[in-house]
Amino acid sequence: MTKALTPPVAKKVPHVMDMHGHQRTDNYYWMRDDKRQNDEILAHLKAENEYCEAVMQPHAVLQETLFEEMKGRIVKDDSSVPVKDGRYWYTNEVSGDEEYGRHYRALNEAMDDKQLLLDVNALAKSFEFYELADMAVSPDDDLLAYSEDTDGRRIYTIKFKDLNTGQMLEDCLVETEGEVVWANDNRTVFYVKKDLQTLLGFQVYRHVLGTPQSDDVLVYEEQDRQYYMGLGKSRDESQIYIYLSATETSDVLYLDAEQPMGEFKRLLARQEGHEYGLDKFGEHYYLLTNSDAKNFRMVRAGLDVVNDPSQWEELIAHREHVLLEGLELFESHFVITEREMGQIRFVIHNYAGESYQLGFADACYYAGVGYNPEPKSTSIRITYSSLTTPSSVYECDLATGQKTLKKQVKVLGDFKPQDYASERLHITARDGEKVPVSIVYRKSMFNKDGTNPLLQYGYGAYGYTVDPTFSSTTLSLLDRGFVYVIAHIRGSEMLGRQWYENGKKAHKENSFNDFVDVTRALVEQQYGAADKIFASGGSAGGLLMGAVMNQAPELYLGIGCHVPFLDVLTTMLDESIPLTTNEYDEWGNPNNLADYESILAYSPYDNLAAKHYPNTLVTTGLHDSQVQYWEPMKWVAKLRALKTDDNVLVFKTDMDSGHGGASGRFKSLHEKALEMAFFISLLPQQAD
């Protein structure tokens, strides 16, 4: 790579922070601008972008080749499998080089005489960024509510369309969370309003069509800012729910959907540490609860006794090594999603107590319950994907378990599943825990002789499990001899709830140790060459990258660090920043000394030191609402000032996007191509 170019050098303005008698000096605190209008800051970001472009310019042909490869595998004219909801079947279609889809409905599955609901391309044409969030059709099928974000900040505007006339209604609801739920009168909706400073949803409003938003009625406000807020409707559509969830506590309020002017009531007494999910069908509530059950158990309760746990009827008992992840109710059966030893399976139960398992044969895969809006259905839609199998939709008969493939995503070009192989390993970490690892490679280019480049991905936070799914973009690496690895480190729920709890708060460093130990073991077992190891992660996975770079920089030739959470201590001490208060149960509250010290021990920004670091690509979005742009901006500036090597450090900011990156099905491929070109260009004797 080019070494003669001069990277931007940021000025230092010491900012002293004192907490618990401990002082920290942040020389780059000045880079924070909540309004994103400071000329000096914007100029510095522009200079970083220009430097990144200049450094990568010699590899522009490679980057464009990668982009065209990835784009060329995508079917340009495609549609989703139609789904029945009420009288209509719904589908989404994409065509040509268009970035977005069109949503349709019809009275039959063949989609004859389909009706256009929304053309997202038309909605997005005036914006650099566009996200269509929620779409909700009124119970009588006459009206459509939908929400959109046009700057990537995840602040949504809700609009309404008359599906009989095609005309837009005058109603427009701004500054919302994006969700919208209809009452059964077809004229009243509920939505969550955002705090524009913290970007937390904290108020639920009721809106009656035909009235201005200023007349909307506040029906609930959450005082505890540690809770996220969402809306939903029961399976039988008789109740509207307000869902409240902190990291370790759940709460639900309900309202009769036939009485929208009524008052929301709490379903269960809020109890710290009690997490549950529930649904209602007929005369019963069904709950997945962690009450006396770390990995959850399933109970049923009558409508009048649901708030009395002593009267719950246990349908599925707690098991130490089986995590209950989901519940889907039908008239004839209910379906439980379980995870054991990291692998998902479905268990289909009838209400008489009989059940059977529905599983898959791949070494490692992902399967999930699809969209099943009709409780009267005698079949369930599930989605399936593995590292070598493109995303597939199956329809499974609830009575027999017979699976019918409805659709498998086509991968254009010369892709053949049999050319690739996947493996599931369990690697022993330094404390003896066995970390699940998913691996995929192209058979003809892998001899397990320690010569292959290897890219390891990880996340490890919030209990979120990164399952092994097919990625047509990753083929561009596999076809160049890369081995691709997902390290299912602690902080996820891959091995159950305890796996998550052992990777957060005071135990957070287990996530970093797991990732590093997996890398070392894969090199020892000759899955990858010691001098050709790469790592990548985004958001909390970006924190992972920063911590791993501090702990074991010598292991990695290159790092991809995307929308990264790097300045953990400063952010968690600032309640004005979006998401801070919600996440005390994840990272700890540094207002407490013990939590302060545990975060300080690993916070990537605070632990940068004068030493060699890997070649690093950092990306962010100026309008990121989850991790503010200044975290990677500050980290890059400090890393530049401290690192003692000549390795490449480039930083790119998308000036139009937020946490999710560029919008559209092709635009985002440019970001993938940039990272891949960055990695490939670092390999010795690599020809572009």
Side-chain angles (χ1 to χ4, degrees):
M1 281 193 168
T2 304
K3 297 288 170 78
L5 298 171
T6 302
V9 176
K11 69 179 182 182
K12 295 181 180 180
V13 181
H15 176 83
V16 178
M17 294 171 284
D18 195 316
M19 190 71 180
H20 303 298
H22 175 256
Q23 279 196 348
R24 292 179 298 139
T25 300
D26 184 353
N27 290 321
Y28 305 102
Y29 192 88
W30 64 270
M31 291 179 168
R32 174 177 176 175
D33 173 28
D34 288 8
K35 295 183 178 180
R36 292 157 171 78
Q37 296 173 352
N38 182 282
D39 289 339
E40 184 178 8
I41 292 172
L42 294 176
H44 188 83
L45 290 174
K46 181 182 178 183
E48 288 281 10
N49 282 351
E50 291 173 348
Y51 175 68
C52 178
E53 185 175 354
V55 169
M56 292 302 296
Q57 200 283 325
H59 315 292
V61 173
L62 172 61
Q63 191 172 334
E64 184 62 22
T65 298
L66 290 162
F67 171 77
E68 292 297 335
E69 277 180 17
M70 292 185 283
K71 183 178 178 181
R73 297 189 192 105
I74 298 173
V75 175
K76 291 190 174 183
D77 299 327
D78 202 3
S79 62
S80 62
V81 179
V83 174
K84 190 174 189 295
D85 186 0
R87 291 187 298 143
Y88 289 93
W89 293 79
Y90 293 83
T91 190
N92 176 45
E93 297 181 4
V94 291
S95 61
D97 288 328
E98 292 177 335
E99 295 282 356
Y100 306 95
R102 294 177 176 82
H103 294 270
Y104 294 92
R105 73 178 181 183
L107 290 170
N108 55 59
E109 188 174 5
M111 300 304 294
D112 299 326
D113 299 320
K114 62 190 178 187
Q115 174 192 9
L116 177 64
L117 303 179
L118 288 178
D119 179 351
V120 186
N121 295 285
L123 296 174
K125 67 180 180 181
S126 301
F127 305 100
E128 288 295 325
F129 177 93
Y130 187 88
E131 179 196 357
L132 177 68
D134 198 14
M135 288 178 60
V137 177
S138 61
D140 63 7
D141 296 321
D142 288 343
L143 300 170
L144 172 68
Y146 67 92
S147 57
E148 59 184 13
D149 172 20
T150 58
D151 67 8
R153 289 285 284 167
R154 298 183 181 179
I155 301 172
Y156 299 93
T157 298
I158 298 171
K159 297 181 178 180
F160 298 85
K161 183 177 181 180
D162 187 320
L163 297 179
N164 294 317
T165 66
Q167 299 300 307
M168 297 297 297
L169 305 187
E170 292 185 3
D171 301 71
C172 184
L173 311 177
V174 300
E175 299 171 0
T176 83
E177 193 74 55
E179 291 177 303
V180 56
V181 173
W182 289 92
N184 290 346
D185 65 354
N186 302 295
R187 61 188 299 267
T188 307
V189 297
F190 295 88
Y191 64 94
V192 176
K193 197 82 179 286
K194 282 210 175 200
D195 181 318
L196 295 185
Q197 174 63 40
T198 66
L199 298 187
L200 294 174
F202 72 111
Q203 296 174 321
V204 178
Y205 277 86
R206 180 179 64 225
H207 174 76
V208 178
L209 292 180
T211 65
Q213 187 178 13
S214 57
D215 288 350
D216 290 355
V217 176
L218 175 66
V219 296
Y220 181 78
E221 180 171 348
E222 177 54 47
Q223 300 298 329
D224 189 338
R225 295 299 192 262
Q226 293 189 63
Y227 283 82
Y228 290 103
M229 179 180 285
L231 298 174
K233 211 167 185 181
S234 63
R235 184 66 162 157
D236 60 11
E237 299 193 343
S238 66
Q239 293 183 338
I240 296 169
Y241 297 129
I242 299 173
Y243 299 114
L244 299 163
S245 60
T247 306
E248 298 176 340
T249 306
S250 304
D251 195 7
V252 177
L253 292 88
Y254 71 97
L255 174 70
D256 186 338
E258 301 288 345
Q259 304 292 331
M261 301 299 161
E263 181 180 343
F264 278 90
K265 299 178 181 178
R266 183 160 271 108
L267 193 70
L268 301 174
R270 183 183 291 184
Q271 180 181 343
E272 186 174 346
H274 185 204
E275 293 181 74
Y276 64 92
L278 89 163
D279 209 339
K280 174 188 174 293
F281 199 78
E283 299 304 310
H284 291 94
Y285 288 104
Y286 296 81
L287 292 85
L288 297 183
T289 170
N290 73 343
S291 175
D292 300 317
K294 183 178 289 290
N295 282 327
F296 294 81
R297 60 192 177 103
M298 181 181 174
V299 300
R300 176 170 60 191
L303 303 186
D304 55 343
V305 297
V306 66
N307 58 1
D308 182 1
S310 69
Q311 298 195 55
W312 290 352
E313 175 190 1
E314 186 172 85
L315 299 183
I316 301 175
H318 174 258
R319 288 159 290 173
E320 185 178 352
H321 300 296
V322 179
L323 176 68
L324 300 189
E325 286 196 339
L327 164 68
E328 190 85 334
L329 298 173
F330 295 87
E331 282 191 356
S332 61
H333 295 77
F334 62 89
V335 180
I336 296 290
T337 304
E338 298 184 348
R339 189 186 293 270
E340 184 172 14
M341 288 301 292
Q343 204 64 280
I344 286 173
R345 64 173 175 249
F346 304 110
V347 184
I348 299 179
H349 301 254
N350 64 25
Y351 293 95
E354 301 169 323
S355 66
Y356 64 90
Q357 291 185 10
L358 197 63
F360 297 87
D362 275 323
C364 43
Y365 63 84
Y366 168 74
V369 173
Y371 182 45
N372 295 276
E374 282 294 312
K376 294 181 180 180
S377 177
T378 58
S379 61
I380 181 172
R381 290 272 178 87
I382 61 174
T383 59
Y384 175 81
S385 173
S386 77
L387 291 171
T388 58
T389 307
S391 180
S392 309
V393 176
Y394 286 92
E395 193 159 271
C396 301
D397 186 283
L398 289 168
T400 67
Q402 180 176 344
K403 297 194 288 274
T404 302
L405 180 63
K406 300 290 289 184
K407 179 179 179 176
Q408 185 173 91
V409 171
K410 291 182 180 178
V411 181
L412 300 182
D414 59 0
F415 169 75
K416 297 181 181 65
Q418 61 269 28
D419 291 342
Y420 304 85
S422 64
E423 299 180 29
R424 167 64 59 82
L425 304 180
H426 289 85
I427 287 173
T428 303
R430 64 192 69 177
D431 63 356
E433 291 285 355
K434 294 189 179 298
V435 182
V437 177
S438 299
I439 301 174
V440 63
Y441 47 80
R442 188 178 178 103
K443 294 177 185 177
S444 63
M445 304 189 75
F446 179 70
N447 296 313
K448 201 177 177 183
D449 59 1
T451 63
N452 289 78
L454 182 148
L455 172 59
Q456 182 174 316
Y457 176 82
Y459 187 74
Y462 306 108
Y464 178 73
T465 300
V466 179
D467 283 292
T469 58
F470 184 81
S471 168
S472 66
T473 59
T474 304
L475 294 175
S476 289
L477 291 178
L478 303 184
D479 292 347
R480 287 171 170 81
F482 274 74
V483 174
Y484 181 73
V485 175
I486 305 172
H488 305 289
I489 58 179
R490 276 171 279 189
S492 76
E493 288 186 341
M494 176 58 82
L495 295 183
R497 187 68 180 183
Q498 193 65 46
W499 197 246
Y500 166 44
E501 293 182 356
N502 288 342
K504 69 172 184 174
K505 295 174 79 170
H507 308 294
K508 186 63 209 167
E509 294 208 45
N510 285 333
S511 302
F512 318 138
N513 297 344
D514 286 353
F515 193 89
V516 168
D517 293 347
V518 165
T519 302
R520 290 196 169 111
L522 291 175
V523 171
E524 289 172 6
Q525 296 179 33
Q526 296 194 298
Y527 280 92
D531 59 348
K532 300 176 185 176
I533 304 299
F534 302 90
S536 181
S539 194
L543 183 158
L544 172 69
M545 294 300 103
V548 162
M549 286 173 62
N550 283 332
Q551 181 183 139
E554 73 283 356
L555 292 182
Y556 304 96
L557 175 59
I559 296 280
C561 193
H562 308 293
V563 290
F565 181 32
L566 297 162
D567 192 12
V568 185
L569 195 53
T570 303
T571 292
M572 294 307 298
L573 282 167
D574 188 345
E575 295 185 8
S576 72
I577 294 177
L579 310 187
T580 291
T581 55
N582 288 82
E583 306 205 344
Y584 288 151
D585 285 338
E586 180 70 28
W587 311 106
N589 181 352
N591 292 294
N592 304 320
L593 177 60
D595 289 344
Y596 180 95
E597 290 177 340
S598 67
I599 295 173
L600 179 63
Y602 69 76
S603 177
Y605 185 69
D606 291 288
N607 285 279
L608 286 171
K611 60 184 178 183
H612 282 25
Y613 282 93
N615 298 282
T616 306
L617 166 68
V618 186
T619 64
T620 193
L622 179 64
H623 300 286
D624 195 329
S625 60
Q626 311 298 106
V627 180
Q628 308 302 311
Y629 76 87
W630 56 80
E631 293 211 19
M633 184 182 184
K634 290 165 50 177
W635 184 77
V636 167
K638 186 175 181 180
L639 178 57
R640 277 232 177 86
L642 286 173
K643 73 189 192 79
T644 56
D645 55 78
D646 292 326
N647 289 333
V648 177
L649 172 60
V650 287
F651 175 39
K652 181 176 181 180
T653 302
D654 187 326
M655 307 301 281
D656 298 311
S657 76
H659 197 63
S663 60
R665 59 177 179 152
F666 298 128
K667 281 183 184 178
S668 60
L669 297 179
H670 287 290
E671 298 173 1
K672 282 279 188 184
L674 173 64
E675 180 181 72
M676 288 185 186
F678 180 76
F679 289 159
I680 293 169
S681 66
L682 294 170
L683 294 173
Q685 300 177 337
Q686 177 62 47
D688 292 352

